[in-house]
Amino acid sequence: MRSTSWKFLGGFAVLAGSTLALLIAGPLAPPDRSVTHPSGIGATAPRPVPPLPEPWPLSLAAGASRVVEGAFRPGDTFGNVLNQAGIPRRFIDQLAHAVESNFNVRRIRSGRAYKIYFTPDDQLLLFRYQRSEQQAVFVAKGTNGWRAIEITIPYNIRPRFVQAKILGSLEGALEATSMDQRGAIRLAHKLAEIFAWSIDFSADLRVNDSVDLVVEQRFLEGKFVGFGDVLSAELNIAGRIYRAIRYQQPGAATAYFTPSGQSLQRAFLRSPVDFTSISSGFSHRRMHPILNIAKPHYGIDYVAPGGTPVRATATGTIAYVGRTGQAGNHVKIRHGGSYTSHYLHLSRFADGVKVGVPIEQGQVLGYVGRTGLATNNHLHYQLEQSGIFVDPLRINVPAGAPLADELMPDFIRQRDIWISILREGQIDRPLVLAGSSE
């Protein structure tokens, strides 16, 4: 617990250097847009903020002369935390009773942050309990006495252009765009999800490939709290350009499309696991490493650490879960149309994976292992088409469905905003080789 004089703090993201990145990471001034714009520019909130008959609690805080803040520890209670800050026990009991219909102080959880604001004459002005990143409970005295209200603190979203050159891993190249490594990893995962149907980030990236993108920066009360959606992206992978535009469809979840309005989502993911290498490809005749005889290898062997999650490459229904001789732990999924996929040598199955259960694309089925006849931890992945095994890396997966004609004008409006910010960043190009002395 610490006590400080009250002051408002403005937040700026601090960019750390990285020897793996060639980076532009600067906020760009977008065209003026209202908070209701579907792009999400400006202050946005997951749900409406309720109207308050009393003064806005965040404004009340500005009048505080002293603030005591900390986080609830195991064994702490609402009462002892306020009492340690100098508030009498009798008043605390009255306060807890007054707000119990909206805020049960006995359900406060350890680890949650709090702030206690005091008036110039050292009386309680406001109590704030941070239920989650965006949800805060405020206890304040209104026109009808003390009351508690839960408020959604809206994000302030600012677009940021980022340019990274791959000299190592994607996560390493992006690390300098975040205040911590965790943020860079999340941003890399977002890109992997967006391009999951066209790029295998475990195998396709090469040194000197580049990533240009515009991403949401999320701020709460002036403090940077993390990245939101990728708004537009342009990747140069081995000389081939891949582009993605986020589109917020009216009344629907966000999705990603090519600039012409073609969905990036396809029937099958490029790979079912985040692998380190492919030890064996699809072949009609391969020397088996254990049996030492030539036999067909109707699948792809993805090498990955034991316990790595294995995901369904397409939506379908589980047709088999169990142990199958040399295949070890085995999951079989039937997909719409003529396709069936197989996942072999799993160490164990994910919870809820049972015959007849519907499965979504990308859902975890199990974990990499070496059950059955296997020399190391790997996933053997097979794909059947009309009962015939086919090479998963060579099948021609149909392109995603295009947007409906009536949505195209709205898509083009959003697309042009994000592309203009991307191009503005690419043209300005105040390039800095992070970590370089040159």
Side-chain angles (χ1 to χ4, degrees):
M1 182 187 297
R2 65 182 188 272
S3 179
T4 62
S5 296
W6 171 249
K7 60 181 179 178
F8 282 108
L9 300 177
F12 292 90
V14 178
L15 301 181
S18 169
T19 57
L20 298 177
L22 184 64
L23 169 74
I24 300 172
L28 300 171
D32 185 33
R33 287 180 279 276
S34 72
V35 296
T36 57
H37 192 283
S39 69
I41 290 291
T44 60
R47 60 179 182 173
V49 174
L52 298 178
E54 282 81 27
W56 178 257
L58 291 175
S59 299
L60 277 179
S65 62
R66 180 169 72 95
V67 181
V68 176
E69 59 185 294
F72 284 92
R73 297 170 298 182
D76 278 348
T77 66
F78 177 77
N80 65 27
V81 164
L82 266 65
N83 185 247
Q84 289 169 14
I87 300 173
R89 282 281 182 187
R90 185 174 179 182
F91 177 79
I92 295 169
D93 293 341
Q94 294 172 347
L95 182 63
H97 179 72
V99 302
E100 63 182 353
S101 60
N102 301 112
F103 179 42
N104 188 340
V105 300
R106 289 180 293 276
R107 293 185 178 177
I108 282 176
R109 296 174 59 184
S110 65
R112 300 288 190 246
Y114 65 83
K115 290 185 179 181
I116 309 169
Y117 302 83
F118 291 88
T119 65
D121 58 355
D122 218 32
Q123 299 297 308
L124 177 65
L125 175 67
L126 180 70
F127 173 78
R128 172 174 177 163
Y129 170 66
Q130 202 69 30
R131 198 183 293 278
S132 64
E133 182 177 80
Q134 274 193 282
Q135 302 300 123
V137 176
F138 291 88
V139 175
K141 191 173 184 178
T143 55
N144 297 315
W146 289 91
R147 65 188 293 261
I149 186 166
E150 183 171 344
I151 292 175
T152 300
I153 309 298
Y155 287 125
N156 183 274
I157 294 178
R158 307 174 197 169
R160 179 175 289 276
F161 172 73
V162 174
Q163 184 180 71
K165 185 175 183 179
I166 306 298
L167 301 179
S169 66
L170 177 61
E171 291 89 345
L174 291 170
E175 186 172 347
T177 71
S178 172
M179 291 191 294
D180 54 27
Q181 186 182 40
R182 189 177 184 183
I185 290 172
R186 287 181 177 178
L187 187 55
H189 286 178
K190 287 178 184 291
L191 286 171
E193 290 172 1
I194 293 167
F195 291 99
W197 297 271
S198 50
I199 301 172
D200 191 325
F201 285 87
S202 300
D204 295 345
L205 289 186
R206 299 289 184 270
V207 173
N208 291 328
D209 287 345
S210 62
V211 177
D212 292 359
L213 60 95
V214 177
V215 63
E216 291 178 337
Q217 290 184 121
R218 290 181 173 177
F219 293 82
L220 280 175
E221 301 174 81
K223 180 182 178 182
F224 175 75
V225 294
F227 292 114
D229 287 348
V230 171
L231 303 172
S232 61
E234 186 171 279
L235 279 60
N236 186 331
I237 308 297
R240 183 176 178 182
I241 304 298
Y242 299 85
R243 296 183 177 91
I245 306 294
R246 189 196 77 165
Y247 177 50
Q248 175 68 65
Q249 301 182 54
T254 57
Y256 288 88
F257 298 84
T258 67
S260 62
Q262 203 84 15
S263 174
L264 290 184
Q265 185 169 351
R266 299 192 177 197
F268 286 87
L269 296 175
R270 280 287 307 275
S271 66
V273 67
D274 187 4
F275 62 94
T276 57
S277 64
I278 293 176
S279 59
S280 295
F282 186 92
S283 173
H284 292 284
R285 183 179 174 83
R286 182 199 70 153
M287 187 63 67
H288 195 280
I290 296 178
L291 301 177
N292 202 30
I293 59 173
K295 59 184 299 186
H297 188 255
Y298 292 143
I300 306 293
D301 285 350
Y302 293 103
V303 178
T308 303
V310 174
R311 303 179 186 277
T313 52
T315 299
T317 302
I318 295 179
Y320 177 81
V321 179
R323 195 173 180 96
T324 311
Q326 297 179 2
N329 290 333
H330 173 195
V331 175
K332 175 181 177 181
I333 301 177
R334 287 200 178 94
H335 309 284
S338 57
Y339 289 98
T340 302
S341 61
H342 300 259
Y343 310 79
L344 282 58
H345 304 306
L346 301 174
S347 61
R348 62 185 178 91
F349 306 111
D351 293 341
V353 174
K354 300 177 182 178
V355 173
V357 171
I359 292 292
E360 295 297 322
Q361 186 178 62
Q363 185 173 337
V364 175
L365 303 173
Y367 303 89
V368 169
R370 52 184 302 176
T371 56
L373 197 62
T375 58
N376 62 350
N377 287 313
H378 73 282
L379 171 73
H380 180 77
Y381 172 64
Q382 295 178 317
L383 188 63
E384 291 181 70
Q385 184 178 17
S386 301
I388 299 173
F389 286 107
V390 295
D391 187 344
L393 300 181
R394 294 182 179 273
I395 61 168
N396 185 21
V397 179
L403 277 168
D405 290 344
E406 61 268 22
L407 293 176
M408 283 303 293
D410 188 52
F411 169 74
I412 290 171
R413 180 171 58 87
Q414 294 188 40
R415 177 200 69 187
D416 290 351
I417 292 170
W418 306 136
I419 288 182
S420 68
I421 297 176
L422 186 74
R423 295 289 176 254
E424 181 182 342
Q426 290 172 327
I427 291 171
D428 287 348
R429 306 180 79 85
L431 295 180
V432 176
L433 183 59
S436 172
S437 59
E438 297 180 2

